[in-house]
Amino acid sequence: MNENDKELEKITGVVERIVFQNKENGYSVVEIETGEAEYETIFGTLPLIFEGELIAAYGNFVNSAKYGRQFRVESYEKQLPQSEDMMIKYLSSGTLKGVGPAMAKKIVGRFHDQTFDVIENNPDWLADINGISKERAEKIGEQFREQHGLRNVMLFCRDFFSPSVSVRAFKKWGSSAVEVIRRDPYVLCEDSFGVSFEKADNAAKAMGHPSDSDERLFAGIKYVLNHNADQNGHTYLPEDKLLKATDALLGTDSERTKDALDTLVETGVCTKTKYDGKNCIFLKKYSDAEQYICEKLRLLENSSITSDEKNINRAIDMCEYEEGITYAPLQRKAIIKAINSGVMVLTGGPGTGKTTVIRAIIRIVSRLGLRYALAAPTGRAAKRMSEATSEEAKTIHRLLEVSYTDSEKQQFMRSRTNLLTEDIIIIDEASMIDVLLMSALLEAIKPGAKLVLIGDADQLPSVGAGNVLSDIITSDTVDTVHLKEIFRQAEQSLIVTNAHAINEGVYPDLKTKNNDFFFLSRATDEETAETITELCTVRLPRKYGAEILDTLQVITPTRMSCCGVEALNVRLQASLNPPSSSKKEKKARGVVYREGDKVMQIKNNYDIIWIKDGTEGAGIFNGDIGTIIKVDNMGEELVIDFEGRITEYDYSMLDELEHAYAITVHKSQGSEYKTVIIPAFRFSKRLLTRNLLYTAVTRAQQMVIIVGDGQAVNDMVDNDRQARRYTSLCERLTDFSDG
């Protein structure tokens, strides 16, 4: 039987000692007196637990070689202690600020078994005790009611949601959280709670909510819009498609769904706009973001201050002299446009000299006395930008000084009321920017500043909603320079020439074997997966040394199939890092995390603390790849090395990690690897497209190895289908310009 499938046991006891407690996530190690043994040690998520409390814990006993027999808690209930001695211990434990052992004895000595009733319902009576003022008495009562409220929320939510959801709900609504959730469980689908629609829907059914309730209809509509934004990149859906998808999800009548949608539009939760004669429905945040992007781009264009072109050309000439190079005509044009335009887009494929232009812009704006900032959407892209320019580059989130509220909601300190001071903002890998991030960036740029967007418009669009770079280029409303010339050094690379061939719809050269681009033909998908495993474990390390594994990445188009991320990660983990008695491991959600595993962070987390060479820092970002160096099942944490940054992940954070022996093409965006292995296989035409293959190939710096079906490669080149994204930025920009 799987450990996670065991029937839960129950133990009851009084909290004698808190061995360890993380106040941020509630993880605790606690000793309790059960009456059946001297002590039992329990551990798990136990938020707001205090000495002296009587608790009932549900979970299972586990045996640790280091710590012995312990009880791992899945959930727990709290009851207030009954005896006066336990009451004193409880009040003395720090549960109520300002109440120490002496004061606890006075309170219990005065009110005896009525102590907790007095504190909760008549705290002003405490003021009769010497040393307690009326103000202090009220604060004691307020603290007690808060903790009592949390206990009620946790008990109510126990069968439906995790303790962390209960804590967040209590922080937001206080003691009324139970009433709020009972009235509308779907409120927990909001971003700050992270509860799936399915879980909220199951809870609602258990609570007796009808299947056609307004709350369920509202939540279903918002879920469909959010799902399509997160998974398909749409900022809106045509009304007919939205209604059809919602009815399919909920099993409801379209007329009732239409009424609910009209209510959401009337109340401003959604917005409705006509494009091509069709009603288009947005969640308000996406409509607002696209409209703001449009307006701010026009403002930057109109407020831009131009410099004398002769002076710029002289500065370019000086750069050429100092660098010992000659800029191509389009490169020179791009440099001038960047300095004289409010907004400029620079695009082009590999080997066309985008980085050379960035370096030139930096040198010239420095000569002109202008302040500049370099940024990119991901940590890896920012790191590459820093390495290429020898200048500091930040993630856009870091540039905007991201922080989080108590409810874990992301906010930027740089905004309309606290603008960036730089005169020119240069953004690399701009194809990865979604509409919400672009809107936030533009909010923080001061009028009169310049924005330079650099990227490859032929790569995959952003993972998040929108198609920002492509929409801006297609609108033809800002200065755009498209570099096309491949420079001499790059021409010698089959990676570069094949990438451009793919992008132009020409089949890549799969026959040449003496360059940096190799093709290994295999008859079946299973043979393809076996060969990839052999390359990683035997052939490449034997030829180039084991260190090649540090700079090698398998990149695959999909998560599914035997050549997809999930299957390849299982296979590669088994070959590169098999089970061993010397390696500890943790199984979570059916995935085994083992010491020595290669893992990837799959979301930006700016609060993770790391230490590198004795210096402390913060932030591990989407796409960062590291190695698990320690699994601590007692402390419930992993220790991970992200290229020298050592950090700790408690087990509640494992949903932020995936194995990274193989990753999707989407996850590779903004990153480069010395060696890239790409499986070529037959799969859904929706996924196997030209721009996906182009993006995968352009992730490689020194070597590409494609393994599999040569016809599948050609089919991808032939498939110029790009998944339609419902976005309105291009239309808004065009309409604004025409107006």
Side-chain angles (χ1 to χ4, degrees), residues 1 20 52 95 111 142 175 227 265 326 426 468 485 510 516 519 525 642 707 714 728:
M1 180 187 293
F20 170 81
T95 181
F111 299 109
E142 184 179 336
S175 56
H227 175 79
V265 172
T326 300
I426 303 172
V468 174
E485 178 184 353
L510 301 182
D516 54 5
F519 173 70
D525 292 354
F642 287 97
V707 184
N714 293 343
S728 68

Side-chain angles (χ1 to χ4, degrees), residues 383-425:
K383 182 181 178 183
R384 274 203 309 120
M385 194 181 190
S386 293
E387 292 169 347
T389 61
S390 300
E391 298 279 347
E392 181 188 16
K394 302 177 179 179
T395 63
I396 296 174
H397 286 76
R398 181 72 73 194
L399 178 69
L400 300 181
E401 299 175 17
V402 70
S403 63
Y404 292 87
T405 64
D406 289 342
S407 60
E408 300 181 16
K409 185 177 181 181
Q410 177 181 277
Q411 62 182 8
F412 295 112
M413 302 307 294
R414 293 291 183 174
S415 62
R416 303 184 201 195
T417 58
N418 184 25
L419 297 169
L420 294 167
T421 59
E422 287 81 5
D423 304 301
I424 181 167
I425 310 294

Side-chain angles (χ1 to χ4, degrees), residues 462-686:
S462 60
V463 175
N467 202 1
V468 174
L469 184 65
S470 180
D471 281 350
I472 290 174
I473 294 171
T474 304
S475 74
D476 197 26
T477 56
V478 304
D479 285 325
T480 301
V481 178
H482 190 164
L483 301 179
K484 298 179 180 179
E485 178 184 353
I486 303 174
F487 290 93
R488 187 175 304 164
Q489 184 177 1
E491 282 182 336
Q492 300 170 5
S493 166
L494 260 185
I495 294 174
V496 172
T497 56
N498 273 339
H500 283 272
I502 291 166
N503 197 35
E504 292 163 9
V506 177
Y507 298 150
D509 178 0
L510 301 182
K511 295 180 179 178
T512 301
K513 300 292 185 183
N514 60 352
N515 205 292
D516 54 5
F517 193 106
F518 303 92
F519 173 70
L520 303 178
S521 178
R522 294 296 181 268
T524 67
D525 292 354
E526 180 63 28
E527 288 179 12
T528 296
E530 287 178 1
T531 299
I532 289 173
T533 305
E534 184 185 359
L535 283 168
C536 294
T537 55
V538 181
R539 294 172 61 175
L540 291 175
R542 185 169 57 201
K543 184 170 183 179
Y544 299 101
E547 59 272 15
I548 193 174
L549 295 176
D550 296 332
T551 56
L552 177 152
Q553 187 60 58
V554 178
I555 299 176
T556 181
T558 178
R559 299 190 66 84
M560 309 310 291
S561 96
C562 71
C563 291
V565 163
E566 294 180 7
L568 283 176
N569 269 323
V570 171
R571 187 187 292 260
L572 290 169
Q573 182 195 38
S575 298
L576 293 169
N577 190 33
S580 167
S581 59
S582 64
K583 294 180 179 179
K584 295 180 181 177
E585 58 186 48
K586 163 64 179 176
K587 188 171 185 179
R589 309 184 313 279
V591 177
V592 174
Y593 295 94
R594 184 176 297 128
E595 290 175 347
D597 272 345
K598 183 179 180 182
V599 291
M600 172 185 276
Q601 173 76 10
I602 59 173
K603 62 183 286 189
N604 288 334
N605 189 327
Y606 289 81
D607 293 333
I608 296 178
I609 303 299
W610 49 260
I611 296 176
K612 183 175 183 179
D613 299 328
T615 301
E616 185 176 284
I620 300 295
F621 309 111
N622 188 2
D624 282 355
I625 291 177
T627 303
I628 298 174
I629 58 177
K630 182 180 179 182
V631 174
D632 182 355
N633 284 317
M634 180 58 217
E636 291 207 331
E637 67 179 17
L638 306 181
V639 180
I640 304 176
D641 180 352
F642 287 97
E643 297 180 335
R645 295 170 295 161
I646 310 300
T647 186
E648 297 174 351
Y649 280 61
D650 68 61
Y651 286 173
S652 68
M653 299 164 62
L654 294 185
D655 59 351
E656 297 184 19
L657 291 175
E658 287 183 353
H659 283 114
Y661 299 103
I663 63 175
T664 63
V665 179
H666 282 89
K667 281 297 181 185
S668 75
Q669 283 181 270
S671 300
E672 283 188 347
Y673 313 91
K674 287 185 179 179
T675 303
V676 167
I677 300 176
I678 305 167
F681 54 98
R682 307 295 180 95
F683 201 67
S684 167
K685 285 188 176 181
R686 187 177 66 86

Side-chain angles (χ1 to χ4, degrees), residues 421-446:
T421 59
E422 287 81 5
D423 304 301
I424 181 167
I425 310 294
I426 303 172
I427 305 294
D428 199 10
E429 295 289 353
S431 63
M432 299 177 67
I433 304 176
D434 60 47
V435 290
L436 297 182
L437 184 57
M438 187 64 174
S439 177
L441 172 64
L442 287 169
E443 282 192 29
I445 297 177
K446 66 182 182 180

Side-chain angles (χ1 to χ4, degrees), residues 42-61:
I42 67 173
F43 67 97
T45 302
L46 300 151
L48 291 181
I49 195 167
F50 298 96
E51 292 178 1
E53 289 183 313
L54 177 64
I55 69 168
Y58 300 86
N60 295 106
F61 283 100

